[in-house]
Amino acid sequence: GSVPVLRHISNERERRTLDKSQERMARGHYLQYTLKEQLVHGMQVSNLAWSVARRMGLSDDFCHQVAVAGMLHDIGKEEISGQIDENQERLVVEEMHYVRLHAAAGYEILKREGYAEEIQKMVLHHHENMDGSGYPDNLSGEKIPLGARIIRVCDVYAALLSDRPYRKGFDQDTAIQLMIEEIKNFDMKIFLTFQRVIHEENNMEIILPPIEI
């Protein structure tokens, strides 16, 4: 069956952090994505990451932590969204500079809120690549926290399936093929486990009630 929304986000502090994030996102353009899009994306990544971790035989505590990190992995975007003026034309490279700050910004938010260090590090490093070409610290291989490696795979997949202002979402087979073309970015063991999960479980069906902003 479908995966319940926010099934692994039960702690009151986590709920409070999400509420704060939603209030701020509703006031700003949040890097040109709507509040609903950000919520759906976070839920997709969270549910996928939990399922992959579970399939890998990791502990219940770890599965919970990676689910929380998956839900909050882009929370740093709210911190930097005000630094990008949507009413002015900006060089792509300048905007990308700010976008690349969101992982570190998210880390700082979760640190202030008192989240476990493991969750903080998953968020900080969720854009690192296995070959060392990612950010913010150009970590490679197993130097990248395991949870961050899991979220990296799930984040890219969820993003590829989603509609964007400049393109429609890809179908599952196309998304997987695109990821295979960039396989150097991913932990192969995690990627193979992830493929088994998405082919055997319906983790991408997220049904939200109407959201008024």
PDB file of all heavy atoms in Angstrom, residues 85-112:
ATOM      1  N   ASP A  85      17.238  37.918  -5.029  1.00  0.00           N
ATOM      2  CA  ASP A  85      16.140  38.817  -5.371  1.00  0.00           C
ATOM      3  C   ASP A  85      15.480  38.325  -6.644  1.00  0.00           C
ATOM      4  O   ASP A  85      16.049  38.431  -7.726  1.00  0.00           O
ATOM      5  CB  ASP A  85      16.678  40.242  -5.571  1.00  0.00           C
ATOM      6  CG  ASP A  85      15.550  41.246  -5.808  1.00  0.00           C
ATOM      7  OD1 ASP A  85      14.376  40.844  -5.909  1.00  0.00           O
ATOM      8  OD2 ASP A  85      15.865  42.443  -5.895  1.00  0.00           O
ATOM      9  N   GLU A  86      14.265  37.835  -6.523  1.00  0.00           N
ATOM     10  CA  GLU A  86      13.606  37.277  -7.697  1.00  0.00           C
ATOM     11  C   GLU A  86      13.145  38.350  -8.673  1.00  0.00           C
ATOM     12  O   GLU A  86      12.741  38.058  -9.788  1.00  0.00           O
ATOM     13  CB  GLU A  86      12.418  36.409  -7.286  1.00  0.00           C
ATOM     14  CG  GLU A  86      11.303  37.162  -6.573  1.00  0.00           C
ATOM     15  CD  GLU A  86      10.157  36.244  -6.215  1.00  0.00           C
ATOM     16  OE1 GLU A  86      10.000  35.216  -6.897  1.00  0.00           O
ATOM     17  OE2 GLU A  86       9.428  36.546  -5.263  1.00  0.00           O
ATOM     18  N   ASN A  87      13.195  39.612  -8.260  1.00  0.00           N
ATOM     19  CA  ASN A  87      12.764  40.690  -9.130  1.00  0.00           C
ATOM     20  C   ASN A  87      13.900  41.252  -9.979  1.00  0.00           C
ATOM     21  O   ASN A  87      13.701  42.185 -10.750  1.00  0.00           O
ATOM     22  CB  ASN A  87      12.145  41.818  -8.300  1.00  0.00           C
ATOM     23  CG  ASN A  87      10.890  41.356  -7.581  1.00  0.00           C
ATOM     24  OD1 ASN A  87      10.067  40.665  -8.166  1.00  0.00           O
ATOM     25  ND2 ASN A  87      10.760  41.716  -6.313  1.00  0.00           N
ATOM     26  N   GLN A  88      15.072  40.746  -9.819  1.00  0.00           N
ATOM     27  CA  GLN A  88      16.213  41.175 -10.602  1.00  0.00           C
ATOM     28  C   GLN A  88      16.777  40.000 -11.367  1.00  0.00           C
ATOM     29  O   GLN A  88      16.708  38.869 -10.916  1.00  0.00           O
ATOM     30  CB  GLN A  88      17.329  41.741  -9.700  1.00  0.00           C
ATOM     31  CG  GLN A  88      17.006  43.085  -9.078  1.00  0.00           C
ATOM     32  CD  GLN A  88      18.206  43.586  -8.292  1.00  0.00           C
ATOM     33  OE1 GLN A  88      19.022  42.801  -7.816  1.00  0.00           O
ATOM     34  NE2 GLN A  88      18.319  44.883  -8.175  1.00  0.00           N
ATOM     35  N   GLU A  89      17.323  40.268 -12.536  1.00  0.00           N
ATOM     36  CA  GLU A  89      18.010  39.223 -13.275  1.00  0.00           C
ATOM     37  C   GLU A  89      19.357  38.980 -12.614  1.00  0.00           C
ATOM     38  O   GLU A  89      20.080  39.903 -12.301  1.00  0.00           O
ATOM     39  CB  GLU A  89      18.203  39.643 -14.736  1.00  0.00           C
ATOM     40  CG  GLU A  89      16.907  39.645 -15.518  1.00  0.00           C
ATOM     41  CD  GLU A  89      17.148  39.855 -16.999  1.00  0.00           C
ATOM     42  OE1 GLU A  89      18.333  39.856 -17.409  1.00  0.00           O
ATOM     43  OE2 GLU A  89      16.162  40.013 -17.722  1.00  0.00           O
ATOM     44  N   ARG A  90      19.673  37.732 -12.395  1.00  0.00           N
ATOM     45  CA  ARG A  90      20.929  37.359 -11.757  1.00  0.00           C
ATOM     46  C   ARG A  90      21.688  36.408 -12.659  1.00  0.00           C
ATOM     47  O   ARG A  90      21.080  35.595 -13.349  1.00  0.00           O
ATOM     48  CB  ARG A  90      20.667  36.664 -10.418  1.00  0.00           C
ATOM     49  CG  ARG A  90      19.988  37.551  -9.381  1.00  0.00           C
ATOM     50  CD  ARG A  90      21.023  38.263  -8.547  1.00  0.00           C
ATOM     51  NE  ARG A  90      20.390  38.978  -7.450  1.00  0.00           N
ATOM     52  CZ  ARG A  90      21.028  39.352  -6.347  1.00  0.00           C
ATOM     53  NH1 ARG A  90      22.312  39.063  -6.214  1.00  0.00           N
ATOM     54  NH2 ARG A  90      20.404  39.997  -5.400  1.00  0.00           N
ATOM     55  N   LEU A  91      22.994  36.494 -12.605  1.00  0.00           N
ATOM     56  CA  LEU A  91      23.790  35.505 -13.310  1.00  0.00           C
ATOM     57  C   LEU A  91      23.538  34.144 -12.685  1.00  0.00           C
ATOM     58  O   LEU A  91      23.421  34.008 -11.462  1.00  0.00           O
ATOM     59  CB  LEU A  91      25.275  35.850 -13.207  1.00  0.00           C
ATOM     60  CG  LEU A  91      25.726  37.121 -13.926  1.00  0.00           C
ATOM     61  CD1 LEU A  91      27.201  37.391 -13.627  1.00  0.00           C
ATOM     62  CD2 LEU A  91      25.521  36.986 -15.423  1.00  0.00           C
ATOM     63  N   VAL A  92      23.435  33.116 -13.505  1.00  0.00           N
ATOM     64  CA  VAL A  92      23.187  31.769 -12.999  1.00  0.00           C
ATOM     65  C   VAL A  92      24.245  31.364 -11.996  1.00  0.00           C
ATOM     66  O   VAL A  92      23.954  30.779 -10.955  1.00  0.00           O
ATOM     67  CB  VAL A  92      23.135  30.755 -14.160  1.00  0.00           C
ATOM     68  CG1 VAL A  92      23.047  29.331 -13.618  1.00  0.00           C
ATOM     69  CG2 VAL A  92      21.947  31.045 -15.062  1.00  0.00           C
ATOM     70  N   VAL A  93      25.487  31.704 -12.277  1.00  0.00           N
ATOM     71  CA  VAL A  93      26.568  31.305 -11.381  1.00  0.00           C
ATOM     72  C   VAL A  93      26.414  31.951 -10.014  1.00  0.00           C
ATOM     73  O   VAL A  93      26.728  31.340  -8.989  1.00  0.00           O
ATOM     74  CB  VAL A  93      27.947  31.660 -12.003  1.00  0.00           C
ATOM     75  CG1 VAL A  93      28.140  33.179 -12.096  1.00  0.00           C
ATOM     76  CG2 VAL A  93      29.074  31.049 -11.174  1.00  0.00           C
ATOM     77  N   GLU A  94      25.888  33.177  -9.962  1.00  0.00           N
ATOM     78  CA  GLU A  94      25.697  33.838  -8.674  1.00  0.00           C
ATOM     79  C   GLU A  94      24.589  33.163  -7.879  1.00  0.00           C
ATOM     80  O   GLU A  94      24.720  32.921  -6.676  1.00  0.00           O
ATOM     81  CB  GLU A  94      25.353  35.315  -8.894  1.00  0.00           C
ATOM     82  CG  GLU A  94      25.216  36.090  -7.589  1.00  0.00           C
ATOM     83  CD  GLU A  94      24.910  37.563  -7.817  1.00  0.00           C
ATOM     84  OE1 GLU A  94      24.951  38.008  -8.979  1.00  0.00           O
ATOM     85  OE2 GLU A  94      24.641  38.247  -6.813  1.00  0.00           O
ATOM     86  N   GLU A  95      23.490  32.836  -8.555  1.00  0.00           N
ATOM     87  CA  GLU A  95      22.400  32.152  -7.867  1.00  0.00           C
ATOM     88  C   GLU A  95      22.848  30.775  -7.398  1.00  0.00           C
ATOM     89  O   GLU A  95      22.525  30.345  -6.297  1.00  0.00           O
ATOM     90  CB  GLU A  95      21.181  32.035  -8.780  1.00  0.00           C
ATOM     91  CG  GLU A  95      19.999  31.403  -8.072  1.00  0.00           C
ATOM     92  CD  GLU A  95      18.672  31.741  -8.713  1.00  0.00           C
ATOM     93  OE1 GLU A  95      18.559  32.838  -9.282  1.00  0.00           O
ATOM     94  OE2 GLU A  95      17.765  30.895  -8.632  1.00  0.00           O
ATOM     95  N   MET A  96      23.608  30.074  -8.217  1.00  0.00           N
ATOM     96  CA  MET A  96      24.091  28.756  -7.822  1.00  0.00           C
ATOM     97  C   MET A  96      25.002  28.837  -6.613  1.00  0.00           C
ATOM     98  O   MET A  96      25.047  27.927  -5.790  1.00  0.00           O
ATOM     99  CB  MET A  96      24.823  28.098  -8.993  1.00  0.00           C
ATOM    100  CG  MET A  96      23.899  27.559 -10.072  1.00  0.00           C
ATOM    101  SD  MET A  96      22.647  26.421  -9.409  1.00  0.00           S
ATOM    102  CE  MET A  96      23.680  25.141  -8.710  1.00  0.00           C
ATOM    103  N   HIS A  97      25.738  29.942  -6.493  1.00  0.00           N
ATOM    104  CA  HIS A  97      26.587  30.122  -5.311  1.00  0.00           C
ATOM    105  C   HIS A  97      25.733  30.096  -4.047  1.00  0.00           C
ATOM    106  O   HIS A  97      26.084  29.442  -3.060  1.00  0.00           O
ATOM    107  CB  HIS A  97      27.338  31.454  -5.413  1.00  0.00           C
ATOM    108  CG  HIS A  97      27.984  31.874  -4.128  1.00  0.00           C
ATOM    109  ND1 HIS A  97      29.107  31.256  -3.616  1.00  0.00           N
ATOM    110  CD2 HIS A  97      27.655  32.841  -3.224  1.00  0.00           C
ATOM    111  CE1 HIS A  97      29.450  31.823  -2.470  1.00  0.00           C
ATOM    112  NE2 HIS A  97      28.583  32.786  -2.213  1.00  0.00           N
ATOM    113  N   TYR A  98      24.601  30.798  -4.073  1.00  0.00           N
ATOM    114  CA  TYR A  98      23.726  30.810  -2.910  1.00  0.00           C
ATOM    115  C   TYR A  98      23.069  29.452  -2.689  1.00  0.00           C
ATOM    116  O   TYR A  98      22.932  28.986  -1.562  1.00  0.00           O
ATOM    117  CB  TYR A  98      22.665  31.895  -3.063  1.00  0.00           C
ATOM    118  CG  TYR A  98      23.208  33.293  -2.860  1.00  0.00           C
ATOM    119  CD1 TYR A  98      23.292  34.195  -3.908  1.00  0.00           C
ATOM    120  CD2 TYR A  98      23.653  33.710  -1.604  1.00  0.00           C
ATOM    121  CE1 TYR A  98      23.804  35.472  -3.732  1.00  0.00           C
ATOM    122  CE2 TYR A  98      24.170  34.981  -1.412  1.00  0.00           C
ATOM    123  CZ  TYR A  98      24.237  35.860  -2.476  1.00  0.00           C
ATOM    124  OH  TYR A  98      24.747  37.112  -2.292  1.00  0.00           O
ATOM    125  N   VAL A  99      22.638  28.824  -3.786  1.00  0.00           N
ATOM    126  CA  VAL A  99      22.011  27.506  -3.659  1.00  0.00           C
ATOM    127  C   VAL A  99      22.960  26.532  -2.970  1.00  0.00           C
ATOM    128  O   VAL A  99      22.547  25.730  -2.132  1.00  0.00           O
ATOM    129  CB  VAL A  99      21.596  26.973  -5.046  1.00  0.00           C
ATOM    130  CG1 VAL A  99      21.155  25.515  -4.947  1.00  0.00           C
ATOM    131  CG2 VAL A  99      20.467  27.821  -5.621  1.00  0.00           C
ATOM    132  N   ARG A 100      24.237  26.621  -3.305  1.00  0.00           N
ATOM    133  CA  ARG A 100      25.213  25.709  -2.718  1.00  0.00           C
ATOM    134  C   ARG A 100      25.436  25.961  -1.227  1.00  0.00           C
ATOM    135  O   ARG A 100      26.045  25.141  -0.544  1.00  0.00           O
ATOM    136  CB  ARG A 100      26.546  25.803  -3.464  1.00  0.00           C
ATOM    137  CG  ARG A 100      26.535  25.054  -4.797  1.00  0.00           C
ATOM    138  CD  ARG A 100      27.797  25.287  -5.597  1.00  0.00           C
ATOM    139  NE  ARG A 100      27.827  24.430  -6.780  1.00  0.00           N
ATOM    140  CZ  ARG A 100      28.591  23.345  -6.895  1.00  0.00           C
ATOM    141  NH1 ARG A 100      29.387  22.988  -5.914  1.00  0.00           N
ATOM    142  NH2 ARG A 100      28.563  22.615  -8.002  1.00  0.00           N
ATOM    143  N   LEU A 101      24.941  27.079  -0.732  1.00  0.00           N
ATOM    144  CA  LEU A 101      25.074  27.378   0.697  1.00  0.00           C
ATOM    145  C   LEU A 101      23.987  26.707   1.536  1.00  0.00           C
ATOM    146  O   LEU A 101      24.086  26.685   2.759  1.00  0.00           O
ATOM    147  CB  LEU A 101      25.014  28.890   0.924  1.00  0.00           C
ATOM    148  CG  LEU A 101      26.116  29.743   0.304  1.00  0.00           C
ATOM    149  CD1 LEU A 101      25.839  31.222   0.565  1.00  0.00           C
ATOM    150  CD2 LEU A 101      27.482  29.359   0.861  1.00  0.00           C
ATOM    151  N   HIS A 102      22.966  26.146   0.880  1.00  0.00           N
ATOM    152  CA  HIS A 102      21.811  25.712   1.660  1.00  0.00           C
ATOM    153  C   HIS A 102      22.098  24.511   2.547  1.00  0.00           C
ATOM    154  O   HIS A 102      21.486  24.371   3.605  1.00  0.00           O
ATOM    155  CB  HIS A 102      20.611  25.432   0.750  1.00  0.00           C
ATOM    156  CG  HIS A 102      20.609  24.094   0.101  1.00  0.00           C
ATOM    157  ND1 HIS A 102      21.252  23.832  -1.084  1.00  0.00           N
ATOM    158  CD2 HIS A 102      20.031  22.908   0.461  1.00  0.00           C
ATOM    159  CE1 HIS A 102      21.069  22.578  -1.423  1.00  0.00           C
ATOM    160  NE2 HIS A 102      20.330  21.985  -0.506  1.00  0.00           N
ATOM    161  N   ALA A 103      23.025  23.653   2.150  1.00  0.00           N
ATOM    162  CA  ALA A 103      23.328  22.487   2.986  1.00  0.00           C
ATOM    163  C   ALA A 103      23.961  22.929   4.308  1.00  0.00           C
ATOM    164  O   ALA A 103      23.575  22.439   5.381  1.00  0.00           O
ATOM    165  CB  ALA A 103      24.255  21.531   2.235  1.00  0.00           C
ATOM    166  N   ALA A 104      24.910  23.849   4.230  1.00  0.00           N
ATOM    167  CA  ALA A 104      25.554  24.361   5.450  1.00  0.00           C
ATOM    168  C   ALA A 104      24.563  25.168   6.279  1.00  0.00           C
ATOM    169  O   ALA A 104      24.579  25.108   7.524  1.00  0.00           O
ATOM    170  CB  ALA A 104      26.771  25.201   5.087  1.00  0.00           C
ATOM    171  N   ALA A 105      23.683  25.924   5.609  1.00  0.00           N
ATOM    172  CA  ALA A 105      22.678  26.698   6.326  1.00  0.00           C
ATOM    173  C   ALA A 105      21.715  25.774   7.066  1.00  0.00           C
ATOM    174  O   ALA A 105      21.340  26.031   8.216  1.00  0.00           O
ATOM    175  CB  ALA A 105      21.917  27.605   5.359  1.00  0.00           C
ATOM    176  N   GLY A 106      21.318  24.674   6.414  1.00  0.00           N
ATOM    177  CA  GLY A 106      20.448  23.701   7.068  1.00  0.00           C
ATOM    178  C   GLY A 106      21.112  23.068   8.278  1.00  0.00           C
ATOM    179  O   GLY A 106      20.475  22.853   9.321  1.00  0.00           O
ATOM    180  N   TYR A 107      22.392  22.775   8.139  1.00  0.00           N
ATOM    181  CA  TYR A 107      23.168  22.222   9.258  1.00  0.00           C
ATOM    182  C   TYR A 107      23.124  23.159  10.456  1.00  0.00           C
ATOM    183  O   TYR A 107      22.911  22.721  11.597  1.00  0.00           O
ATOM    184  CB  TYR A 107      24.606  21.992   8.797  1.00  0.00           C
ATOM    185  CG  TYR A 107      25.600  21.711   9.892  1.00  0.00           C
ATOM    186  CD1 TYR A 107      25.687  20.452  10.468  1.00  0.00           C
ATOM    187  CD2 TYR A 107      26.461  22.703  10.344  1.00  0.00           C
ATOM    188  CE1 TYR A 107      26.608  20.182  11.471  1.00  0.00           C
ATOM    189  CE2 TYR A 107      27.393  22.454  11.344  1.00  0.00           C
ATOM    190  CZ  TYR A 107      27.457  21.193  11.908  1.00  0.00           C
ATOM    191  OH  TYR A 107      28.372  20.943  12.901  1.00  0.00           O
ATOM    192  N   GLU A 108      23.306  24.452  10.209  1.00  0.00           N
ATOM    193  CA  GLU A 108      23.309  25.433  11.297  1.00  0.00           C
ATOM    194  C   GLU A 108      21.934  25.538  11.948  1.00  0.00           C
ATOM    195  O   GLU A 108      21.833  25.674  13.174  1.00  0.00           O
ATOM    196  CB  GLU A 108      23.757  26.798  10.777  1.00  0.00           C
ATOM    197  CG  GLU A 108      25.208  26.856  10.338  1.00  0.00           C
ATOM    198  CD  GLU A 108      26.188  26.579  11.474  1.00  0.00           C
ATOM    199  OE1 GLU A 108      25.816  26.822  12.653  1.00  0.00           O
ATOM    200  OE2 GLU A 108      27.307  26.113  11.195  1.00  0.00           O
ATOM    201  N   ILE A 109      20.879  25.477  11.152  1.00  0.00           N
ATOM    202  CA  ILE A 109      19.530  25.522  11.711  1.00  0.00           C
ATOM    203  C   ILE A 109      19.289  24.335  12.643  1.00  0.00           C
ATOM    204  O   ILE A 109      18.808  24.479  13.770  1.00  0.00           O
ATOM    205  CB  ILE A 109      18.473  25.526  10.588  1.00  0.00           C
ATOM    206  CG1 ILE A 109      18.509  26.852   9.822  1.00  0.00           C
ATOM    207  CG2 ILE A 109      17.066  25.284  11.160  1.00  0.00           C
ATOM    208  CD1 ILE A 109      17.643  26.845   8.571  1.00  0.00           C
ATOM    209  N   LEU A 110      19.632  23.133  12.175  1.00  0.00           N
ATOM    210  CA  LEU A 110      19.390  21.935  12.983  1.00  0.00           C
ATOM    211  C   LEU A 110      20.285  21.904  14.214  1.00  0.00           C
ATOM    212  O   LEU A 110      19.884  21.393  15.265  1.00  0.00           O
ATOM    213  CB  LEU A 110      19.600  20.687  12.131  1.00  0.00           C
ATOM    214  CG  LEU A 110      18.664  20.551  10.929  1.00  0.00           C
ATOM    215  CD1 LEU A 110      18.859  19.204  10.246  1.00  0.00           C
ATOM    216  CD2 LEU A 110      17.207  20.730  11.331  1.00  0.00           C
ATOM    217  N   LYS A 111      21.466  22.475  14.094  1.00  0.00           N
ATOM    218  CA  LYS A 111      22.355  22.567  15.250  1.00  0.00           C
ATOM    219  C   LYS A 111      21.744  23.480  16.313  1.00  0.00           C
ATOM    220  O   LYS A 111      21.742  23.142  17.508  1.00  0.00           O
ATOM    221  CB  LYS A 111      23.717  23.108  14.804  1.00  0.00           C
ATOM    222  CG  LYS A 111      24.794  23.059  15.876  1.00  0.00           C
ATOM    223  CD  LYS A 111      26.136  23.487  15.291  1.00  0.00           C
ATOM    224  CE  LYS A 111      27.237  23.400  16.337  1.00  0.00           C
ATOM    225  NZ  LYS A 111      28.550  23.810  15.767  1.00  0.00           N
ATOM    226  N   ARG A 112      21.200  24.617  15.874  1.00  0.00           N
ATOM    227  CA  ARG A 112      20.552  25.548  16.809  1.00  0.00           C
ATOM    228  C   ARG A 112      19.338  24.911  17.474  1.00  0.00           C
ATOM    229  O   ARG A 112      19.057  25.170  18.647  1.00  0.00           O
ATOM    230  CB  ARG A 112      20.102  26.823  16.078  1.00  0.00           C
ATOM    231  CG  ARG A 112      21.214  27.746  15.651  1.00  0.00           C
ATOM    232  CD  ARG A 112      20.684  29.140  15.360  1.00  0.00           C
ATOM    233  NE  ARG A 112      19.619  29.155  14.370  1.00  0.00           N
ATOM    234  CZ  ARG A 112      19.815  29.328  13.068  1.00  0.00           C
ATOM    235  NH1 ARG A 112      21.049  29.488  12.601  1.00  0.00           N
ATOM    236  NH2 ARG A 112      18.791  29.341  12.240  1.00  0.00           N
TER     237      ARG A 112
END
